[in-house]
């Protein structure tokens, strides 16, 4: 066969292969008349499971590989390729092309997989293939009979692999027995012959995005100060650093190694605080600061390394223990490899604009930060920059054996005016209560008393149950043992919980050591031991035992080990040590009580701050005195402004909320009702899930729906079906019940349902997530949940509040601000919001990246895209930005701008720290610019101008207005803005309090502008920040955060319902024990979310509100 003939033959075989593959993946047809739930045309999903958005390929192209095994690339200078690199040569031509629309082209990839056997290798992506070595004929394909009969003779050897997921194909390069040519065969999820999945390895390539090198390397400087608004006077919870002095402001940083460099923090603290070390430290301990781990600072310049040995036996006043080596610990102190010399003048040079931000400035600030932390961390319980004291702090029982404690927070920062300031605020944290273990576990398990708990922590088969799992939370806590008959020394000894044993005092036996005979006595139980030795009869002998990490080793005279055992104690004798932090996620009841304790009106918070200043006691701090740092107790006062409030446009009327920050919907029509009349909709009464909840009855549900319909019409809603189908949950499986509702409503109205309402009996999170998963991902129908307790009352205000969300999902808008002049957007403008949410510490759940895009000219309505973003990864991956935003950008161009790109884009980013600002520009903003460049390649394009803003709520700055600037609770009026005194000395940032605090002390939002291609005037930008908060679509007050970011928060919260895991798997994952073990850390890449059903384009609506 000639070369050309071989190529034609290969092409024909590949066409047959693709036809065979498509035949199994693209069956389906449209129906003009609704005929119950069915798969959408071309869907490759299973029954009832929709494939669709989130950047997946549609059914007319081969679906892209699963993202579950594709690690993202973190380094900003190295990005993942748009096509995988061939294993046999350089990147293909396709790899050098710009990335295509994910709706038309399989999504790109950044990873390659490698199997350990032979030279087996898989590239994960649209051009994926599988190369086999001579010994690797054991894992190929066997799933498609048509494919096999086309490619291989009946008597040829066909390797075997199972296509475990038909939606995620890979490809195999395999020689064709008839021609010897290499042909490509799709396979899924390749595994070795023993079933082991092939693990991915990273494939990093050179980044081709030209915008990364064009991003600013320095933060944007302030172009000026705002002038709009009425001036008011504020106190701030910040204090000036009055004086910084010392040996000409020169200090030295040292690396400290105690022991082998991997010792526990407790040992490190003991060694550093030892008298022996203090005597050998030049200048004494007060001249040295220590971070508790590996860094120290001093005013002494040590020319040679300090190498010491600390005798802990002598330190504790004891002789070396028998049969053990002396307890000696080595200490090495040497000049730090980098930043050994710290010059505080660098801080003022930076604030004066004489030097750039760099390690020399960071090291100086870090030194001052540790200086103000050194003494309070020794006097109080220290959690990062917060300090707590049981003696002087307030405490509040939260239930479950834990309590909240109020403490004080402090941090140092550079501020506008070229001054250093100390921010002081109240702080709150949760701790274990000081109580006996049996009392704590009784509360932990929610049991009525300890007596009955003895028989309740095992199931009917004698195995530990979920109550025992709750007891495991005691692990790693310190405790003392209290009982009659013990010595004073024993009563002071502290022990640490190593484990909770699933054995009782009647079951666990040990052999007491007989010192006279130097041999073990006969075995006895723990119960017998305490009765015999201490004359104590245990009250709760059927509770699990507490096992400590302490091991008793007995040896014979020759040194051989005779016995080895851990020390165990009965729970009722164990007393929790004070000031031990509770590291677990609180339940709903505990969270509500914590909020109740933490919420304080401004006068109360101010009193708490003053109490915290007494705890810090700067005037008595020996380290501050030694280093010449003087802090003022007087709070900073600043000139702020109150921006004028906007007028609000409703349907046929205008409202002026003034400075109250509130309005209502009574007698008002929505400025934009639902676009299409509501015809096909239904209501489900969800069954009660527990004895404490009760489902609403049918007559009461009918009355609520009637009031709901009447109110919607009163607000201008278009509703044709005033008596929708109302049915009780018709199947125990909620997903099946939703399907049955879909069929019933669709058949009744002969069209796809537009909306479902669910009346829930309680706030069961599993029920809510299951409903949203079915409606969003499986069927693509908007859904609205209401609580039966509120439905019973039929309160007009509650119904109006629900209707704002109901109307928004159907395409409507609650209100808009009345524009002045040309308004905020004289040119086509798009607003993008982005946020990445992370799971609670210790829970191995993925992070979720959520992005929102304005979908009208006034930036009132927003569409959202959401996807997993690895595990605790803050920067949004290139793939997520493309997959989520490309379809939304196209929709914006179609619906808003007539096919044009926006002239101006505001990018609001939430949740990033100051150290990540440059990464936001270099990664996310550069990716956005690249996406717009690709969108503009087919038309006469212009540069899209970007304004990038970071919004931050996690800070401790508070406003305390004086006189006319305060509301009745002492909070600042909505629109209060500060751009002096506490803002960045060289950046462009403001603090804006845009809302009216309902309870507690208002927390302003900190906005930092990172870049501004459009040169937006200062007053116009500050006005936009404030007025846009009045357009939040589901509220009758201005919100505290720009709506673009607020909606991204909502979307990321809803992402949990789109996870492809069961309710049981989620419950197990969300209640596991915290673990810092690197061996137990999750993989870098997370499995993707379920695709949303796009049959009715709900992905372009406000499905998440």
């Amino acid at each position: 066969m000639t070369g050309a003939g071989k190529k034609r033959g290969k092409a024909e075989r590949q066409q047959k292969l693709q036809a065979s593959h498509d035949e199994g993946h693209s069956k389906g047809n449209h129906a003009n008349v609704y005929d119950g739930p069915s798969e959408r045309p071309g869907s490759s999903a299973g029954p009832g499971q929709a494939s669709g958005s989130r950047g997946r390929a549609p059914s007319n192209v081969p679906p892209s590989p699963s993202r579950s095994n594709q690690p993202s690339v973190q380094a900003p200078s190295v990005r993942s390729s748009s096509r995988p690199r061939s294993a046999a040569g350089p990147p293909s031509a396709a790899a050098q092309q710009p990335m295509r629309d994910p709706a038309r082209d399989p999504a790109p990839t950044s990873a390659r997989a490698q199997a350990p056997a032979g030279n087996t290798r898989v590239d994960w992506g649209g051009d994926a293939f599988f190369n086999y070595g001579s010994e690797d004929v054991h894992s190929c394909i066997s799933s498609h009979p048509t494919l096999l009969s086309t490619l291989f003779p009946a008597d040829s050897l066909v390797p075997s692999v199972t296509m475990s997921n038909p939606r995620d194909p890979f490809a195999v390069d395999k020689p064709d027995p008839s021609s010897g040519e290499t042909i490509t065969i799709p396979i899924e999820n390749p595994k070795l012959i023993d079933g082991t999945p092939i693990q991915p390895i990273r494939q990093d390539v050179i980044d081709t995005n030209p915008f990364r090198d064009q991003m600013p390397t320095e933060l944007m400087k302030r172009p000026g100060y705002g002038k709009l608004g009425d001036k008011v006077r504020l106190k701030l919870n910040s204090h000036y650093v009055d004086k910084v002095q010392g040996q000409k402001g020169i200090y030295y940083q040292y690396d400290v190694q105690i022991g082998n460099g991997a010792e526990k923090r407790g040992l490190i603290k003991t060694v550093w605080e030892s008298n022996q070390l203090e005597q050998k430290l030049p200048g004494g301990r007060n001249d040295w600061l220590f971070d508790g781990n590996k860094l120290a600072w001093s005013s002494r310049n040590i020319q040679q390394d300090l190498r010491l040995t600390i005798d802990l036996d002598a330190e504790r006043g004891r002789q070396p223990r028998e049969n053990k080596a002396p307890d000696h610990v080595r200490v090495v102190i040497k000049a730090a490899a980098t930043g050994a010399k710290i010059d505080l003048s660098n801080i003022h040079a930076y604030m004066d604009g004489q030097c750039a931000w760099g390690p020399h400035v960071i090291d100086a600030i870090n030194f001052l930060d540790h200086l103000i932390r050194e003494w309070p961390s020794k006097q109080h319980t220290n959690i990062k920059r917060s300090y707590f004291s049981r003696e002087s702090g307030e405490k509040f029982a939260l239930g479950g054996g834990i309590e909240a404690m109020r403490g004080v927070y402090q941090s140092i920062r550079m501020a506008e005016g070229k001054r250093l300031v100390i921010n002081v605020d109240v702080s709150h944290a949760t701790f274990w209560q000081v109580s006996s273990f049996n009392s704590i576990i009784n509360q932990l398990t929610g049991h009525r008393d300890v007596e009955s708990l003895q028989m309740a922590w095992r199931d009917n088969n004698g195995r530990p149950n979920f109550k025992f799992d709750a007891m495991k939370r005691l692990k790693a806590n310190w405790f003392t043992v209290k009982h009659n008959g013990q010595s004073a020394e024993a009563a002071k000894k502290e022990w640490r919980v190593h484990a909770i044993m699933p054995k009782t005092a009647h079951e666990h036996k040990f052999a007491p050591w007989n010192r006279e005979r130097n041999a073990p006595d006969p075995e006895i139980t723990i119960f017998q031991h305490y009765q015999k030795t201490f004359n104590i009869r245990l009250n709760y002998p059927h509770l699990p035992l507490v096992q400590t990490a302490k091991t008793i080793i007995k040896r014979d005279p020759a040194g051989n080990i005779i016995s080895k055992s851990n020390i165990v104690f009965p729970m009722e004798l164990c007393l929790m040590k004070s000031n031990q932090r509770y590291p677990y996620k609180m339940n709903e009841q505990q969270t509500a009580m914590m909020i109740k304790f933490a919420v304080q009106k401004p006068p109360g918070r101010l009193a708490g701050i003053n109490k915290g200043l007494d705890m810090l006691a700067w005037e008595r701090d020996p380290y501050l005195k030694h280093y010449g740092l003087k802090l003022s107790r007087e709070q900073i006062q600043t000139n702020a402004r109150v921006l004028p409030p906007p007028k609000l446009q409703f349907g046929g009327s205008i409202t002026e909320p003034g400075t109250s920050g509130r309005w209502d919907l009574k007698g008002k029509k929505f400025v934009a009702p639902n676009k299409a009349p509501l015809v096909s909709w239904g209501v489900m009464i969800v069954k009660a899930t527990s004895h404490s909840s009760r489902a609403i009855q049918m007559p009461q549900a009918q009355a609520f729906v009637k009031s709901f319909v009447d109110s919607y019409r009163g607000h201008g809603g278009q509703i044709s079906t005033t008596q929708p189908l109302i049915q009780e949950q018709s199947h125990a499986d909620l997903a099946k019940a939703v399907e049955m509702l879909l069929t019933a409503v669709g058949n009744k109205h002969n069209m796809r349902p537009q909306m479902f309402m669910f009346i829930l009996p309680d706030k069961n999170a599993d029920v809510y997530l299951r409903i949203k998963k079915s409606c969003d991902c499986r069927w693509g129908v908007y859904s609205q949940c209401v609580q039966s307790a509120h439905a019973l009352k039929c309160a007009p205000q509650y119904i109006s509040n629900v209707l704002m969300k109901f109307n928004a999902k159907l395409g409507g808008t609650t209100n808009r601000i009345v524009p002045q002049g040309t308004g905020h957007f004289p040119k086509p403008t798009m607003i993008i919001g982005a946020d990445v949410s992370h799971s609670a510490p210790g829970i191995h759940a993925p992070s979720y990246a959520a992005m929102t895009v304005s979908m009208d000219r006034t930036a009132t309505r927003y569409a959202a895209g959401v996807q997993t973003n690895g595990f605790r990864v803050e920067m949004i991956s290139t793939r997520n930005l493309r997959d989520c935003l490309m379809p939304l950008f196209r929709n914006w161009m179609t619906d808003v701008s007539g096919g044009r790109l926006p002239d101006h884009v505001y990018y609001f980013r939430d949740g990033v720290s100051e150290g990540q600002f440059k990464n936001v520009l270099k990664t996310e903003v550069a990716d956005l610019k690249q996406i717009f460049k690709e969108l503009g390649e087919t038309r006469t394009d212009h540069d899209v101008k970007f304004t990038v803003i970071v919004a931050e709520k996690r800070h401790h700055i508070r406003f305390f207005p004086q006189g006319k600037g305060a509301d009745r609770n002492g909070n600042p009026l909505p629109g209060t803005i500060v751009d002096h005194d506490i803002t960045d000395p060289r950046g462009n940032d403001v603090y804006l309090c845009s809302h009216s605090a309902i309870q507690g002390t208002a927390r302003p939002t900190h906005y930092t502008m990172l870049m501004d291609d459009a040169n937006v005037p200062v007053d116009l930008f500050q006005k936009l920040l404030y007025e846009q908060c009045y357009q939040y679509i589901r509220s009758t007050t201005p919100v505290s955060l720009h709506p673009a970011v607020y909606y991204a928060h909502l979307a990321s919260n809803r992402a949990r319902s789109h996870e492809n895991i069961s309710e049981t798997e989620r419950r197990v994952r969300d209640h596991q024990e915290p673990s810092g073990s690197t061996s137990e850390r999750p993989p870098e890449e997370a499995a993707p979310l379920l695709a949303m059903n796009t049959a009715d384009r709900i992905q372009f609506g406000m499905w998440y509100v």
Side-chain angles (χ1 to χ4, degrees), residues 133 172 338 461 465 503 687 694 705 723 759 798 841 875 890 898 952 967 1027 1060:
V172 177
T338 59
N461 296 319
N465 58 22
K503 287 185 176 182
K687 291 181 179 178
R694 190 185 341 181
V705 171
Q723 295 182 346
I759 305 179
Y798 174 76
M875 292 298 107
R890 284 204 170 94
E952 182 188 9
D967 65 12
E1027 293 188 351
N1060 192 16

Side-chain angles (χ1 to χ4, degrees), residues 219-385:
L219 295 183
M220 176 185 174
K221 294 183 179 180
R222 189 183 305 277
Y225 295 93
K227 299 179 180 178
L228 184 65
D230 298 328
K231 292 183 179 180
V232 294
R233 195 73 174 160
L234 296 180
K235 276 188 176 182
L236 305 169
N237 60 334
S238 297
H239 306 257
Y240 283 127
V241 177
D242 284 343
K243 186 168 61 174
V244 181
Q245 66 182 29
Q247 292 182 331
K248 300 179 181 180
I250 304 296
Y251 302 100
Y252 301 91
Q253 181 173 310
Y254 298 93
D255 291 333
V256 179
Q257 180 173 321
I258 295 178
N260 58 15
E263 305 290 357
K264 294 181 179 180
R265 290 293 181 97
L267 177 62
I268 293 174
K269 181 180 179 182
T270 300
V271 172
W272 184 262
E273 294 179 353
S274 66
N275 294 324
Q276 297 171 56
L277 183 63
E278 182 177 15
Q279 293 169 5
K280 297 176 183 179
L281 281 176
R285 186 179 289 117
N286 281 359
D287 192 68
W288 288 79
L289 309 177
F290 183 50
D291 72 346
N293 190 17
K294 293 183 178 182
L295 288 179
W297 297 263
S298 175
S299 62
R300 305 298 177 112
N301 184 11
I302 301 176
Q303 300 297 328
Q304 294 183 343
D305 296 350
L306 280 177
R307 297 180 180 273
L308 314 171
T309 299
I310 305 300
D311 185 348
L312 289 183
D313 288 325
E315 188 72 24
R316 291 164 177 161
R318 68 186 184 194
Q319 295 296 321
R321 285 168 287 186
E322 191 176 341
N323 296 328
K324 281 197 172 183
D327 197 353
H328 292 173
V329 181
R330 288 178 55 81
V331 178
V332 178
I333 301 175
K334 58 184 179 180
T338 59
K341 185 178 180 180
I342 296 187
D343 188 346
L344 297 186
S345 65
N346 288 325
I347 296 176
H348 296 282
Y350 171 78
M351 292 191 289
D352 289 336
Q354 298 173 3
C355 71
W357 180 261
H360 54 291
V361 182
I362 296 172
D363 288 342
I365 287 290
N366 194 36
F367 165 76
L368 291 178
D369 181 56
H370 281 85
L371 173 58
I372 66 172
R373 293 165 63 180
E374 184 74 13
W375 195 60
S377 64
K378 294 179 178 180
Q379 307 301 310
H380 311 293
T381 300
N382 175 217
I383 301 176
K384 296 182 179 178
R385 291 180 173 85

Side-chain angles (χ1 to χ4, degrees), residues 825-844:
F825 313 121
K827 297 180 179 180
T829 302
M830 175 190 292
I831 296 184
I832 305 171
D835 178 44
V836 177
S837 62
H838 308 288
S839 60
I843 296 178
H844 293 172

